[in-house]
Amino acid sequence: MIEVRNLHKTFGEKHVLRGVNLAIQTGESITIIGQSGCGKSVLLKHLVGLLEPDAGEVVVDGERITGARRKNLYEIRKKFGVLFQGSALFDSMTVEENVSLALRTHTTMTAAQVSERVTECLRMVSMEGTQKLKPSELSGGMKKRVGLARAIAMQPAYILYDEPTTGLDPITADSINDLVIHLNHQLKVTTVVVTHDMVSAYKVSDRIVMLHGGEIIFSGTPQETQTTDMNIVRRFVTGEADEHPYVITRYK
Amino acid sequence: MASPPEQLVQQFGRRTIAFLIELARVAALMRRVISEIGGLFRDRGLFLQECVTLGTESLPLVLLVGIFTGAVTGWQAHYQLEGYMPFDLIGPGVWKSLMLELGPALTGLVIAGRVSASIAAEIGTMKVTEQVDALESMAISSVRYLAVPRIAAMTVMMPILVIQSVTIGMGGAAFVLTAIMGMSGHQFWGLIPNFFHLYDIFAGLFKSVFFGLSASIIGCYIGFRTEGGAEGVGAATITAFVWSCITILVLDFVLAIILF
Ligand SMILES: Nc1ncnc2c1ncn2[C@@H]1O[C@H](COP(=O)(O)OP(=O)(O)O)[C@@H](O)[C@H]1O
Ligand SMILES: [Mg+2]
């Protein structure tokens, strides 16, 4: 279980998170939606302690990661797999080296065991046989898959996805959605997805929350999200920019 | 609204404070590097790889700088001494200039430029593409994995590069003086043993260790601090180059006072 309590984060003058409260239950699949630039990635990075909040705290399975000693922080991070927005594959390494880095660093597995685990992870994301390729030889969708294989290599209890479908064509995006669901069901992984892609949000989540103005302003099932009468949420999920209605009127 | 002179003072104050903050952060990075230096044995593969990319691959440039510096120093020493002192003194003069100052300082500046800029570009690119975050999220210390091997490699390789630069520099000087100026080999090399002090070698190499250390730390620091995409990486490269050159010039002066 991940508990976020009254989280505040400021960059320079910009107060990005203004008291975020959120509890993520073990085993659930939760999606955080919100406009571009509203602080979704910033929130996600706080969950693994990649950013330190100005105020508030993040607690993972009862352990505070905010202000934790580096050694404890690293122990907690081993429970996480993160898929970054741009995949963040190490471009000096092959696919195999990318997926195996954590295994080689943190486990005492033999080279053969590592290689077997890499194959297994790549098979799960339908990327078997790409071990020797460099990230520069992969398409955007393939990079996401390899990034995902790398994220699951250590069998994490939590997987965080930062916009897993953004920038992909609808079919590739859908196959990523299926993977997210599969990993959540098959491996019983707690799943946190950050996205502004509503198709994806409806498909993969048990629960959708909306980040707006630096706070969580809504929480509900996909069903509830579609039928809510909260104006901001409805506008976001239907994709209407009626903050500037005159533009639309004139366009018509 | 402050008057223009007041604004100037305010601006100066702000910049000084900003500079001191950066300095404190560099010190914090150094502390972390020291605390994680123990991982170096486990990461010896990374260390050796950096020795090759940062050190060995700098060699052509180092040798080029070395041979020209030696040749010019020899040539000009000949001109400076002509009519005042016996030419036998050129050899020891060139040797001391190269070993104490020109070798470490010029190699330092050239390599600092090359190495600190390339470290800043590499780490900076990893930072803006979230590869640094990816490492950290996998519970791998980015300082241990990225900074320590590079800094250790540069600190070890710099004195080796300087030795090579000075050696080929002496060759360059000997060549122009014997082949062009008509001195005999004995006249060039003859007095060097009389003026040879082990301390000179120690002093020259001592300097170069610090130059290697500072250039690589600055490269790493600027890399980790990079923000804002490709543009940010470009800016980081230049910043690392400029600051490592400035640092080397200042350090050279400070070390000269300490050593001599
Ligand atoms: N390291 C940083 N330094 C300064 N500003 C940042 C940093 N990271 C994020 N921001 C700012 O925080 C805001 C939220 O960013 P982000 O979380 O990336 O948005 P998104 O919801 O699209 O993921 C943006 O305005 C961004 O400019
Ligand atoms: Mg984002």
Side-chain angles (χ1 to χ4, degrees):
Chain A
M1 176 169 178
I2 304 174
E3 292 156 279
V4 179
R5 297 194 191 120
N6 195 28
L7 208 65
H8 284 264
K9 182 69 179 181
T10 306
F11 292 107
E13 308 277 277
K14 213 182 285 172
H15 200 160
V16 179
L17 301 183
R18 298 163 178 255
V20 172
N21 287 291
L22 182 64
I24 298 167
Q25 306 300 329
T26 302
E28 81 170 323
S29 177
I30 183 171
T31 298
I32 303 168
I33 60 172
Q35 285 187 4
S36 285
C38 76
K40 301 185 297 293
S41 298
V42 169
L43 175 57
L44 206 66
K45 284 180 185 174
H46 278 91
L47 301 185
V48 264
L50 289 171
L51 289 172
E52 273 282 306
D54 302 328
E57 61 178 3
V58 175
V59 179
V60 176
D61 298 337
E63 281 182 280
R64 253 184 79 120
I65 69 168
T66 305
R69 299 177 63 88
R70 199 172 296 281
K71 202 158 166 277
N72 300 344
L73 180 61
Y74 283 157
E75 280 314 308
I76 301 171
R77 279 183 186 164
K78 287 180 187 167
K79 299 180 182 182
F80 284 87
V82 185
L83 176 60
F84 288 89
Q85 197 162 348
S87 304
L89 298 180
F90 306 119
D91 33 41
S92 60
M93 300 182 193
T94 63
V95 167
E96 172 152 43
E97 288 165 341
N98 263 284
V99 178
S100 65
L101 181 63
L103 298 169
R104 286 181 281 132
T105 309
H106 297 308
T107 71
T108 52
M109 288 163 81
T110 63
Q113 288 168 323
V114 168
S115 158
E116 192 176 322
R117 176 74 189 144
V118 169
T119 310
E120 193 182 344
C121 292
L122 287 176
R123 189 167 340 108
M124 265 188 260
V125 298
S126 312
M127 284 291 289
E128 56 270 76
T130 57
Q131 275 92 332
K132 297 287 169 263
L133 297 182
K134 280 284 180 77
S136 56
E137 297 170 272
L138 305 175
S139 70
M142 291 160 93
K143 281 185 190 164
K144 296 261 176 174
R145 287 164 181 277
V146 173
L148 193 46
R150 182 176 72 180
I152 60 179
M154 292 281 288
Q155 295 174 310
Y158 300 93
I159 304 185
L160 312 184
Y161 301 83
D162 195 351
E163 309 213 0
T165 55
T166 303
L168 302 179
D169 64 84
I171 293 174
T172 313
D174 198 51
S175 69
I176 298 279
N177 288 336
D178 287 337
L179 267 174
V180 174
I181 296 166
H182 174 78
L183 292 173
N184 177 239
H185 290 181
Q186 200 85 4
L187 307 178
K188 303 270 175 276
V189 187
T190 308
T191 303
V192 184
V193 180
V194 149
T195 193
H196 53 230
D197 171 0
M198 288 315 299
V199 177
S200 172
Y202 291 140
K203 184 158 182 187
V204 305
S205 6
D206 304 327
R207 181 157 71 104
I208 295 175
V209 300
M210 181 161 177
L211 182 64
H212 184 84
E215 288 176 65
I216 299 290
I217 56 156
F218 171 86
S219 168
T221 62
Q223 181 69 36
E224 287 163 351
T225 311
Q226 272 164 310
T227 56
T228 179
D229 49 13
M230 265 184 83
N231 205 4
I232 301 170
V233 181
R234 229 188 40 235
R235 237 164 50 204
F236 184 85
V237 302
T238 55
E240 282 171 39
D242 74 359
E243 277 159 76
H244 306 289
Y246 58 93
V247 177
I248 293 164
T249 326
R250 275 204 344 222
Y251 185 76
K252 277 175 186 167
Chain B
M1 195 67 206
S3 66
E6 280 173 43
Q7 280 180 2
L8 206 67
V9 172
Q10 278 176 1
Q11 175 125 10
F12 182 76
R14 262 199 299 274
R15 290 200 164 209
T16 310
I17 290 169
F19 180 75
L20 291 177
I21 290 174
E22 297 250 11
L23 220 54
R25 290 193 183 137
V26 174
L29 174 63
M30 275 159 81
R31 248 190 38 213
R32 252 193 90 185
V33 166
I34 292 168
S35 77
E36 306 210 24
I37 201 101
L40 201 57
F41 179 73
R42 215 169 75 173
D43 299 331
R44 58 192 176 281
L46 291 172
F47 168 71
L48 291 175
Q49 191 187 326
E50 292 302 335
C51 283
V52 171
T53 36
L54 298 180
T56 317
E57 286 176 13
S58 296
L59 194 57
L61 192 57
V62 167
L63 295 183
L64 195 74
V65 172
I67 198 159
F68 275 96
T69 311
V72 172
T73 310
W75 186 281
Q76 292 185 351
H78 189 275
Y79 167 76
Q80 287 168 326
L81 265 56
E82 199 166 15
Y84 301 104
M85 276 185 235
F87 286 144
D88 306 60
L89 288 174
I90 293 179
V94 170
W95 157 248
K96 294 231 171 197
S97 313
L98 288 185
M99 189 66 239
L100 289 179
E101 177 59 24
L102 296 174
L106 284 181
T107 311
L109 286 174
V110 169
I111 295 312
R114 199 192 104 101
V115 165
S116 69
S118 87
I119 292 178
E122 269 180 305
I123 298 184
T125 304
M126 294 187 70
K127 174 76 193 308
V128 301
T129 56
E130 295 185 314
Q131 291 176 55
V132 173
D133 282 335
L135 264 185
E136 286 284 339
S137 75
M138 293 159 83
I140 298 174
S141 157
S142 53
V143 170
R144 197 199 95 188
Y145 197 82
L146 298 174
V148 170
R150 286 174 171 79
I151 293 170
M154 257 340 273
T155 311
V156 171
M157 291 309 280
M158 198 66 176
I160 297 175
L161 291 172
V162 166
I163 294 256
Q164 285 164 325
S165 160
V166 172
T167 309
I168 198 162
M170 287 306 289
F175 174 76
V176 292
L177 290 167
T178 53
I180 303 175
M181 292 298 194
M183 281 171 61
S184 73
H186 182 263
Q187 203 179 9
F188 180 77
W189 298 106
L191 279 185
I192 291 180
N194 302 35
F195 287 86
F196 184 89
H197 298 298
L198 219 47
Y199 184 74
D200 294 347
I201 296 186
F202 165 78
L205 296 186
F206 189 76
K207 277 186 183 181
S208 65
V209 166
F210 277 90
F211 295 165
L213 194 60
S214 54
S216 50
I217 286 178
I218 289 171
C220 290
Y221 173 72
I222 304 280
F224 281 130
R225 187 199 76 151
T226 306
E227 299 278 349
E231 198 181 334
V233 175
T237 314
I238 297 172
T239 310
F241 175 80
V242 171
W243 277 106
S244 56
C245 288
I246 293 174
T247 307
I248 284 180
L249 292 172
V250 173
L251 262 183
D252 193 29
F253 179 67
V254 173
L255 288 172
I257 293 175
I258 294 172
L259 287 166
F260 309 112

